[in-house]
Amino acid sequence: MSVLGDVRKLVADLHAELPRNDLVVWTAGNVSARVPGEDLLVIKPSGVSYDEITADAMVVTDLDGNLVEGDHKPSSDTAAHAYVYKHMPHVQGVVHTHSTYATAWSARGEAIPCVLTMIADEFGGEIPVGPFALIGDDSIGRGIVETLRHHRSPAVLMRNHGVFTIGRSARDAVKAAVMCEDVARTVHIARQLGAPIPIPQGDIDSLFARYQNVYGQEPVA
C-alpha cells in the first residue's frame, strides 16, 4: 500500500473511535491527518455517515483546502484543519467534535480549569477557550492556531462551537479529544458539589513533564 493509502486507512479507522467514545452524533465531527512529506491532508467527506466511512471514501486536499483526490466533497471543517497544518508544522493530526460536556463549556466561553492530575498530564494546564468564528473559511483555523500557540494544551474549546484537538499523530489528536470530554464531564460534576481545588503551577509542570516524557513503555529496539 502507498503512503497515501496508509493515511487514508488510518484516518478511516480512527473515525470509529469518535462514536465509540460518544464524542459525535449523526455525521458531525471529523478526523484528519497530514500526508508525510507532502503539503496534503486526508479528511472525512462532508455529511457521510460513520457507518459508510471507508479508506476509499476519504478525500485528499491541499493545505488551502482544495480537493486533490476523492469522489466526495470534503468536510465543511476542511479549511480549519488545513490552516492548522499550514501554520503549525509539528501537527500531524487534527480532530473536531461537538462532544457534550466539553461543548457545554465552550457554550459558556469558559476554560476547563486544571483541577485534576489527568488535565495536568495531558493538557499541561487549563483547556483554553478560542474565539467565536463562523464555519466556511479559515476563521476557525486562525482561532485554533492563535489560541494553541500560547498553550501546552492540545485541545481548544472554540466558543459556541465545539472542540478541536491537535497531535503529533492523528491518534494522539483522537486521544486528546477523548480525554478532553472525560475531564470536562468530571470537572462539571465536581462543580455541582462545590468549588474544585486548583493544582499549583509547579505541580502541574511536574505532572506534565512526567506524563509526556516518562509515562508508558520504551520503544522496542
Side-chain angles (χ1 to χ4, degrees), residues 1-10 34-38 42:
M1 188 179 290
S2 67
V3 171
L4 183 55
D6 289 342
V7 178
R8 281 177 173 271
K9 184 178 187 307
L10 172 67
R34 189 192 294 269
V35 179
E38 304 284 348
V42 173

Side-chain angles (χ1 to χ4, degrees), residues 104-124:
W105 286 83
S106 82
R108 289 176 50 83
E110 184 177 356
I112 301 173
C114 192
V115 295
L116 300 169
T117 58
M118 183 183 289
I119 300 175
D121 288 344
E122 178 71 15
F123 303 98

Side-chain angles (χ1 to χ4, degrees), residues 37 58 63 121:
M58 296 299 98
L63 299 192
D121 288 344

Side-chain angles (χ1 to χ4, degrees), residues 14 33 35 50 61 75 77 81 110 122-125 145 150 156 181 191 193 200 204 212 214 219:
L14 286 175
V35 179
Y50 281 85
T61 78
S75 164
D77 296 302
H81 289 242
E110 184 177 356
E122 178 71 15
F123 303 98
V145 171
H150 306 296
V156 55
E181 177 63 5
R191 294 211 310 184
L193 302 173
I204 292 173
Q212 299 297 320
V214 178

Side-chain angles (χ1 to χ4, degrees), residues 86-109:
K86 195 170 187 177
H87 294 86
M88 302 182 83
H90 65 286
V91 171
Q92 301 298 314
V94 178
V95 173
H96 173 46
T97 79
H98 301 151
S99 59
T100 302
Y101 283 87
T103 301
W105 286 83
S106 82
R108 289 176 50 83

Side-chain angles (χ1 to χ4, degrees), residues 24-46:
V24 295
V25 296
W26 204 240
T27 63
N30 37 69
V31 178
S32 72
R34 189 192 294 269
V35 179
E38 304 284 348
D39 289 334
L40 300 172
L41 66 93
V42 173
I43 194 168
K44 170 179 173 283
S46 179

Side-chain angles (χ1 to χ4, degrees), residues 21 101-102 105 112 178 180-190:
N21 288 279
Y101 283 87
W105 286 83
I112 301 173
V178 172
C180 181
E181 177 63 5
D182 184 68
V183 299
R185 178 174 59 248
T186 303
V187 179
H188 168 75
I189 293 170

